Amino acid sequence: KQWYQRRVAITAGKIKDDAPELVQKPIAFKTPLEYKLGASIASRVAYGDALVKLGEACDRIVVLDADTKNSTFALKFKNVFPDRFIECFIAEQNMVGVSLGCGARNRTIPFCSTFATFFTRAMDQIRMAAVSQSQLNMAGSHCGVSIGEDGPSQMALEDIAAFRAIPNLVYFYPSDAVSACRAVELAANYKYMTFIRTSRPATTVIYANDEVFEIGKAKIVKTSAEDKVLVIGAGITLDSAMKAHSSLLEKGTSVRVMDPFTIKPLDKEAVLKHAKECGGRVITVEDHYAEGGIGEAVAGVLSNADFITKHKILAVREIPRSGPSAVLLDMFGISANKVVDAVLDMVE
């Protein structure tokens, strides 16, 4: 019998519950992160690292996966804590249901994972879990056209739109290994539902291991007093924005680069403050369809600001195809080169 099952003994007509309520929150990693600045690490790999650290810090962490554990890197947790891992196979609706059961009555903290696009199969369970104000942590990997050769059937391009509409849900979109780990740590301490969007390609570690992250607080990763445009990117497109920043400096144009960290809640104050400081010019770039994504979330924030002069949304605007990641990023308008073109067009 596995430890996470609710075990009851019927004695003299009474039920004895020997699974006490979790009282260990807040939960924090017991050991520091050890990533090197400048290293290339996929956020999905860091997700697996963070699960292991959580498992070491709290024996109530339970991890579930839908037969994608070698791709989501939930396998790392299984290898260390096999008795706290549940393989749900290719049955995403069931996985979400089992996860909700694991988290019921505050007995465990469940994390379930699969490709981000496959969570759409379980939207009925997810929306009803929100109605019930349930605790559930989801991690979706392989988002966007950047997954490359896996092709459009595997590319999550609707998930931001779908999950932004879920009440009380926090949507994390980490851009490097450090922020991915901190997203997992924060999710474990959140009362309701979370979604962590992880990427297949490796991205550069840009944050120090002790960088502090908060729900609803963005990070400014490039800034100067001469910035002409605020560029907002997340995950693989923050990488595009950073590369564009370097190329634009060579052309004599400076831009400010923002990492939103959470798409819901979005850091509205930071968006407005930095947009104003950049002359009311804003570009959002995302590996997602334009509808319901980061660009439209930002547009909602900017809609009542009288100082906005230009806002351009770079997003995937047609059904994609299979191909090398870098080729697809450029083909669908969200590469560093496309960011450079959009900035130069905006400031001319």
Side-chain angles (χ1 to χ4, degrees):
K1 186 191 307 185
Q2 295 179 327
W3 76 273
Y4 51 78
Q5 292 175 314
R6 181 176 177 235
R7 297 163 297 173
V8 295
I10 301 178
T11 305
K14 295 182 179 180
I15 296 177
K16 178 182 178 182
D17 190 344
D18 64 351
E21 185 173 348
L22 179 69
V23 293
Q24 295 173 263
K25 289 187 177 182
I27 298 167
F29 298 151
K30 288 185 175 181
T31 56
L33 302 181
E34 296 181 341
Y35 298 115
K36 294 182 179 179
L37 286 170
S40 293
I41 302 170
S43 55
R44 63 184 176 126
V45 176
Y47 171 71
D49 295 338
L51 290 179
V52 172
K53 285 186 174 293
L54 273 184
E56 294 168 344
C58 175
D59 65 1
R60 300 295 190 86
I61 301 298
V62 177
V63 174
L64 305 89
D65 196 273
D67 208 19
T68 56
K69 55 188 176 294
N70 61 320
S71 296
T72 62
F73 282 85
L75 180 62
K76 290 192 172 191
F77 185 90
K78 180 187 178 183
N79 289 340
V80 180
F81 305 106
D83 61 332
R84 287 192 264 157
F85 179 85
I86 305 173
E87 176 58 77
C88 295
F89 302 102
I90 306 175
E92 291 80 9
Q93 298 97 324
N94 185 58
M95 178 180 70
V96 169
V98 174
S99 300
L100 291 167
C102 288
R105 301 173 64 239
N106 200 29
R107 265 41 181 183
T108 71
I109 300 174
F111 282 81
C112 61
S113 55
T114 185
F115 287 14
T117 194
F118 297 155
F119 272 109
T120 60
R121 298 171 179 171
M123 285 307 296
D124 183 29
Q125 286 81 0
I126 291 167
R127 68 173 295 274
M128 289 307 298
V131 171
S132 301
Q133 300 183 54
S134 300
Q135 179 191 38
L136 175 64
N137 299 304
M138 297 167 281
S141 69
H142 289 63
C143 55
V145 301
S146 59
I147 71 171
E149 289 83 356
D150 282 1
S153 66
Q154 316 290 301
M155 296 172 176
L157 291 160
E158 313 87 358
D159 56 300
I160 296 178
F163 286 103
R164 279 181 58 218
I166 300 297
N168 296 322
L169 181 140
V170 170
Y171 191 104
F172 295 97
Y173 195 174
S175 297
D176 78 342
V178 173
S179 57
C181 285
R182 297 307 178 191
V184 173
E185 189 177 36
L186 287 166
N189 289 282
Y190 185 63
K191 183 178 180 180
Y192 301 113
M193 300 170 68
T194 70
F195 188 90
I196 305 170
R197 193 184 211 227
T198 63
S199 302
R200 181 185 185 186
T203 52
T204 303
V205 176
I206 60 173
Y207 295 112
N209 287 310
D210 59 354
E211 182 78 20
V212 176
F213 288 84
E214 299 178 60
I215 292 173
K217 295 296 182 183
K219 297 287 185 182
I220 299 298
V221 294
K222 294 290 182 181
T223 183
S224 76
E226 291 75 39
D227 295 337
K228 304 298 183 185
V229 179
L230 173 63
V231 180
I232 302 173
I236 193 67
T237 60
L238 183 70
D239 190 64
S240 295
M242 298 274 282
K243 291 174 180 176
H245 175 272
S246 299
S247 297
L248 287 162
L249 281 180
E250 295 176 0
K251 301 177 184 294
T253 300
S254 181
V255 297
R256 190 163 302 178
V257 180
M258 174 184 287
D259 173 7
F261 183 56
T262 56
I263 310 305
K264 179 185 178 180
L266 190 64
D267 191 343
K268 299 177 182 179
E269 292 76 14
V271 170
L272 291 171
K273 174 181 182 294
H274 294 284
K276 188 172 185 178
E277 291 178 3
C278 293
R281 293 177 289 269
V282 180
I283 292 174
T284 54
V285 53
E286 59 189 300
D287 198 359
H288 187 274
Y289 286 137
E291 293 80 7
I294 298 172
E296 291 195 352
V298 170
V301 174
L302 302 177
S303 60
N304 292 320
D306 57 9
F307 56 82
I308 296 299
T309 58
K310 296 180 180 179
H311 175 209
K312 186 174 182 63
I313 298 174
L314 302 182
V316 180
R317 295 183 180 274
E318 58 184 289
I319 297 175
R321 64 188 69 179
S322 177
S325 178
V327 172
L328 295 182
L329 290 173
D330 198 63
M331 178 182 294
F332 295 103
I334 56 175
S335 65
N337 288 336
K338 299 301 182 181
V339 176
V340 169
D341 292 344
V343 169
L344 293 178
D345 180 66
M346 186 171 282
V347 298
E348 285 178 356

